[in-house]
Amino acid sequence: MTAVATTGPRTAATIARECIDKGADVILAAGGDGTINEIANGMVGLDTPLGILPGGTANVLAVELGIGLDMPVAARKVAGWTPARVGVGLLENDHEQRHFVLMAGVGLDALIVYNIDAKLKASLGKVAYWVAGFSRLGKPMPEFDVHIGGENLRCSFALVSRVKNYGGDLWITRTASLLSDQFEVVLFQGAHSLPYMKYLFGVVTGRLGNMSGVRLFRTDALEVLCASDPRIYVQIDGEFAGRLPARLSMTQNALTLLIPEEFRRKHSNG
């Protein structure tokens, strides 16, 4: 086994592909969701398996797979994981064309990602995101239009997800699965932040789908249209990914992911 360090932002994809070109038969990503995203972008379309050694701020993928957040424990178990071919999302906008493993967010959470204080994140970890989120209370929410399922719908936060877990703490997209060939999409409506307290209650209690102002979809593609407010951003796997307009679509059978057998049994019908 050879350990190779990244040398800066957006270098992990190239490093992973170089390792595969040199004969690596598996890539183990030691880091958070942003690092995993970079590595996965270098492996889309290849057969080499990707395994996760959890690190980073939250590591939603490790939580989703049931790996946990203890890297040494995960390392001892990795030999028992099995490869599964999964789909990944694809973001296309004026900023870039990039795949994502977990989720894309437009509006509220992307605004938080864009404005997060790096020092606060380093000292507080994922708590920094909660602090930034609650700082939006009482403020207006820029809106945008989503074209999905033959409808044009206005909202202020769109979550397009492949996983149930959100941020390591919450379940928003409760029917999403890495083994599915579709996204679960949740659209939150409202031009003000106050309804989001109600939405948070719905998430915590599992009643989000029954709330007014919330729309749920399953789809393999959608478009997020131009908005008049330039502050409407996009994030993928917790990293800033530009502005609108954007198209989000599934790339089927794109990545070989090492998964615990227990996860496969629970989600094989997802």
Side-chain angles (χ1 to χ4, degrees):
M1 181 179 293
T2 302
V4 183
T6 58
T7 55
R10 298 297 181 96
T11 61
T14 300
I15 292 171
R17 193 171 285 269
E18 288 175 349
C19 289
I20 293 169
D21 289 343
K22 293 177 181 178
D25 54 11
V26 65
I27 299 292
L28 299 178
D33 292 314
T35 300
I36 293 167
N37 174 276
E38 288 191 30
I39 293 171
N41 269 275
M43 298 178 66
V44 167
L46 304 180
D47 294 329
T48 305
L50 170 64
I52 307 304
L53 298 180
T57 303
N59 210 309
V60 170
L61 183 56
V63 173
E64 185 77 9
L65 291 172
I67 293 171
L69 300 177
D70 189 315
M71 187 181 295
V73 171
R76 289 194 292 269
K77 295 180 178 180
V78 68
W81 301 342
T82 57
R85 198 70 177 168
V86 300
V88 297
L90 175 65
L91 165 71
E92 298 171 280
N93 62 12
D94 292 340
H95 182 71
E96 63 183 340
Q97 178 174 305
R98 189 168 179 83
H99 291 95
F100 56 96
V101 179
L102 303 170
M103 68 188 73
V106 184
L108 175 59
D109 74 340
L111 180 64
I112 292 170
V113 167
Y114 181 80
N115 289 314
I116 196 76
D117 183 272
K119 292 182 179 178
L120 188 66
K121 179 181 175 181
S123 62
L124 298 181
K126 62 185 177 182
V127 174
Y129 291 94
W130 285 99
V131 172
F134 279 109
S135 73
R136 300 297 307 170
L137 285 176
K139 297 181 180 179
M141 298 289 294
E143 296 181 289
F144 52 92
D145 293 323
V146 177
H147 182 71
I148 185 171
E151 299 182 76
N152 281 328
L153 300 170
R154 177 146 291 197
C155 63
S156 50
F157 175 27
L159 179 63
V160 181
S161 189
R162 302 277 294 128
V163 293
K164 294 177 173 63
N165 189 270
Y166 180 84
D169 300 298
L170 301 173
W171 279 23
I172 298 180
T173 46
R174 290 177 173 258
T175 68
S177 173
L178 289 165
L179 303 183
S180 171
D181 58 1
Q182 292 185 313
F183 302 117
E184 183 175 348
V185 180
V186 186
L187 306 182
F188 298 87
Q189 299 172 328
H192 199 275
S193 58
L194 290 181
Y196 281 84
M197 294 305 295
K198 176 187 74 172
Y199 298 154
L200 179 59
F201 176 78
V203 170
V204 172
T205 60
R207 300 174 182 175
L208 187 65
N210 298 322
M211 286 188 164
S212 61
V214 178
R215 295 287 303 273
L216 276 63
F217 297 87
R218 291 187 67 85
T219 186
D220 60 5
L222 65 151
E223 291 183 86
V224 191
L225 308 177
C226 280
S228 57
D229 193 320
R231 294 173 298 164
I232 300 178
Y233 305 118
V234 184
Q235 65 87 7
I236 56 173
D237 293 349
E239 301 292 328
F240 174 71
R243 297 172 171 82
L244 302 183
R247 174 176 169 79
L248 300 161
S249 60
M250 281 292 301
T251 302
Q252 307 290 351
N253 194 36
L255 181 70
T256 301
L257 189 64
L258 291 178
I259 62 174
E261 189 57 35
E262 183 177 358
F263 178 86
R264 185 194 295 273
R265 289 196 302 269
K266 287 183 178 180
H267 297 269
S268 59
N269 294 321

